């Protein structure tokens, strides 16, 4: 047993040394995901919270104005930011820092006009307009808030969409772990093409030991990559990943799936060059289908159903539940189980196909 552990340790050390010498691979594993996370995250709102921000300038200071502001703040999709300068608030709306700005005139007691700034470029403008109209109607009639029916023909939901780094951090983690698994299958192809696999099978070592040696390298790469991206997103981009146990379970399942891709694709690709040329494109396709490029809430219902054929969709669903909805580890267990089932299926097919190919 000690000899076998030494063999695995030697394989791990050899893989670490090989990866350390390959600067392009280090860049692809660690730096490229962070760059994409930063660029796309800023474009999607950066550090924005998943809510609509409404600026309020209250010049009335009456009970009715306070009630209106409280009603706006009570909306789960909105955050209120108080202003004392009308011009600053107007500029904030048209520069995109606010989704809307409301001016309550002096002496306003629930009757009379309000000045509201709305940016036509904001997708939340119709929702804000409907919410303010509902609150005003309730104040005028002293009745319960109006029920505003909002339809999502694109197949979305009423929950706020994840924005900025809260979305791009898990998306790039899932995407690049899958790409890593696809590209790492080149090691198996090099063993086959060099004939070394046949010599390894002829040694006294058991078959499972050979597969364990092939697992060590990709596993430690994906583990280091995942930890690097998780902590980078936390320290530099302010992403709160949520329940630590949930993050651990989901990331472990993701890494297991990434390793399973090594065995599966090692039997599908034919030349050592194919993983590097085709692997990233296959990873991007799985990522696009599974919601790594855009939220699944904005796609049509049939596409949302189809997305769950990709393991990326289960991983994204779990991470977004942890980050945006503050879900517990128990709540994401179905996502973890689905990822592990994908990993078991891919590994089983790959291992069954791999041994006869090694013998050739």
């Amino acid at each position: 047993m000690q000899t076998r552990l030494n063999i695995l340790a030697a394989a791990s050390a050899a893989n670490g040394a090989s990866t350390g010498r390959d600067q392009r691979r280090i860049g692809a594993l660690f730096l490229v995901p962070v760059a994409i996370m930063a660029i796309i995250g800023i474009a999607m709102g950066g550090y924005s919270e998943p809510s609509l921000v409404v600026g309020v300038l209250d010049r009335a200071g009456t009970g009715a104005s306070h009630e209106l502001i409280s009603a706006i703040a009570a909306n789960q999709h909105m955050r209120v930011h108080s202003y004392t300068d009308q011009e600053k608030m107007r500029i904030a709306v048209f520069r995109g820092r606010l989704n809307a700005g409301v001016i309550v005139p002096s002496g306003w007691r629930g009757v009379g006009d309000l000045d509201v700034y709305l940016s036509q470029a904001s997708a939340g403008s119709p929702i804000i307009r409907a919410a303010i109209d509902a609150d005003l109607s309730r104040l005028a009639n002293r009745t319960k808030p109006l029920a505003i029916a909002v339809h999502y023909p694109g197949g979305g939901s009423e929950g706020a969409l994840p924005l900025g780094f809260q979305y791009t951090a898990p998306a790039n983690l899932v995407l690049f772990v899958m790409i890593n698994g696809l590209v790492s299958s080149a090691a198996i192809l090099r063993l086959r093409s060099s004939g070394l696999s046949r010599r390894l099978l002829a040694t006294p070592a058991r078959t499972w030991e050979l597969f364990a040696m092939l697992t060590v390298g990709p596993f430690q790469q994906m583990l280091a990559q995942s930890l690097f991206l998780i902590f980078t997103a936390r320290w530099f981009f302010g992403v709160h990943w949520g329940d630590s146990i949930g993050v651990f379970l989901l990331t472990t399942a993701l890494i297991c799936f990434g390793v399973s891709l090594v065995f599966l694709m090692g039997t599908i690709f034919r030349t050592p060059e194919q993983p590097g040329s085709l692997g990233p494109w296959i990873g991007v396709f799985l990522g696009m289908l599974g919601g790594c490029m855009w939220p699944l809430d904005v796609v049509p219902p049939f596409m949302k159903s189809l997305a769950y054929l990709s393991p990326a969709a289960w991983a994204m669903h779990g991470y977004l539940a942890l980050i945006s909805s503050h879900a517990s580890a128990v709540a994401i267990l179905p996502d973890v189980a689905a990822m592990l089932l994908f990993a078991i299926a891919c590994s089983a097919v790959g291992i069954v196909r791999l041994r006869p190919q090694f013998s050739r």
Side-chain angles (χ1 to χ4, degrees):
M1 178 59 71
Q2 183 63 38
T3 302
R4 292 167 184 169
L5 292 177
N6 290 338
I7 292 174
L8 294 179
S12 173
N15 176 77
S18 175
T19 303
R21 290 192 298 268
D22 191 344
Q23 296 182 356
R24 288 187 302 176
R25 188 169 180 80
I26 291 177
L29 291 177
F30 299 98
L31 301 182
V32 173
V34 172
I36 295 176
M37 187 188 305
I39 295 170
I40 305 300
I42 292 173
M44 291 181 64
Y47 298 94
S48 299
E49 294 292 331
S51 57
L52 302 171
V53 185
V54 180
V56 175
L57 174 56
D58 185 8
R59 290 173 172 165
T62 60
S65 67
H66 294 159
E67 190 173 352
L68 173 64
I69 295 170
S70 298
I72 296 173
N75 190 307
Q76 63 177 335
H77 301 291
M78 298 185 189
R79 289 186 294 118
V80 170
H81 186 80
S82 297
Y83 277 83
T84 57
D85 188 305
Q86 178 178 346
E87 184 62 17
K88 287 184 178 180
M89 186 175 71
R90 184 188 69 82
I91 292 174
V93 171
F94 290 105
R95 287 184 177 176
R97 294 195 296 269
L98 296 176
N99 298 99
V102 179
I103 301 173
V104 183
S106 301
W108 190 82
R109 300 184 181 279
V111 179
D113 295 335
L114 296 177
D115 289 329
V116 179
Y117 292 111
L118 288 172
S119 173
Q120 297 301 319
S122 172
S125 294
I127 298 174
I128 295 174
R129 184 191 300 273
I132 294 175
D133 287 343
D135 291 330
L136 290 174
S137 297
R138 181 183 62 81
L139 286 173
N141 299 321
R142 298 298 173 185
T143 58
K144 295 180 179 180
L146 297 177
I148 305 297
V150 180
H151 299 283
Y152 299 87
S157 65
E158 64 178 8
L161 292 176
L163 298 176
F165 303 124
Q166 295 191 15
Y167 188 85
T168 61
N172 282 280
L173 171 60
V174 173
L175 177 63
F176 279 91
V177 167
M178 292 193 302
I179 291 176
N180 192 355
L182 291 161
V183 174
S184 295
S185 62
I188 291 178
L189 291 154
R190 284 194 291 267
L191 281 177
R192 287 166 48 192
S193 62
S194 65
L196 184 59
S197 59
R198 291 193 300 273
R199 293 194 291 272
L200 288 173
L201 288 176
T203 64
R206 297 177 181 178
T207 304
W208 72 265
E209 295 175 17
L210 174 58
F211 289 132
M213 290 176 60
L214 294 173
T215 301
V216 168
F219 180 84
Q220 67 180 12
Q221 283 182 16
M222 294 176 200
L223 178 61
Q225 180 185 40
S226 299
L227 291 175
F228 175 78
L229 293 178
I230 288 172
F231 285 110
T232 298
R234 178 67 187 91
W235 292 334
F236 293 98
F237 303 122
V239 176
H240 295 272
W241 289 87
D243 188 286
S244 299
I245 297 176
V247 174
F248 169 77
L249 292 175
L250 192 57
T251 304
T252 301
L254 175 63
I255 292 173
C256 289
F257 174 69
V259 173
S260 74
L261 286 176
V262 177
F263 291 106
L264 178 63
M265 302 310 294
T267 66
I268 294 176
F269 290 134
R270 295 304 176 192
T271 66
E273 292 75 27
Q274 285 181 338
S277 58
L278 298 179
W281 292 105
I282 297 174
V284 168
F285 171 76
L286 291 174
M288 290 175 64
L289 182 63
C292 292
M293 308 303 180
W294 45 71
L296 292 180
D297 283 336
V298 304
V299 303
F302 82 93
M303 283 297 296
K304 191 171 184 178
S305 301
L306 187 63
Y308 285 94
L309 295 176
S310 169
W314 296 94
M316 286 298 295
H317 184 270
Y319 279 121
L320 292 177
L322 291 169
I323 295 171
S324 301
S325 304
H326 308 292
S328 65
V330 175
I332 64 158
L333 285 181
D335 301 301
V336 174
M339 290 293 296
L340 291 176
L341 287 175
F342 276 109
I344 292 171
C346 292
S347 296
V349 173
I351 291 173
V352 168
R353 288 170 51 92
L354 197 54
R355 182 173 174 79
Q357 291 185 8
F358 270 176
S359 302
R360 295 172 189 170

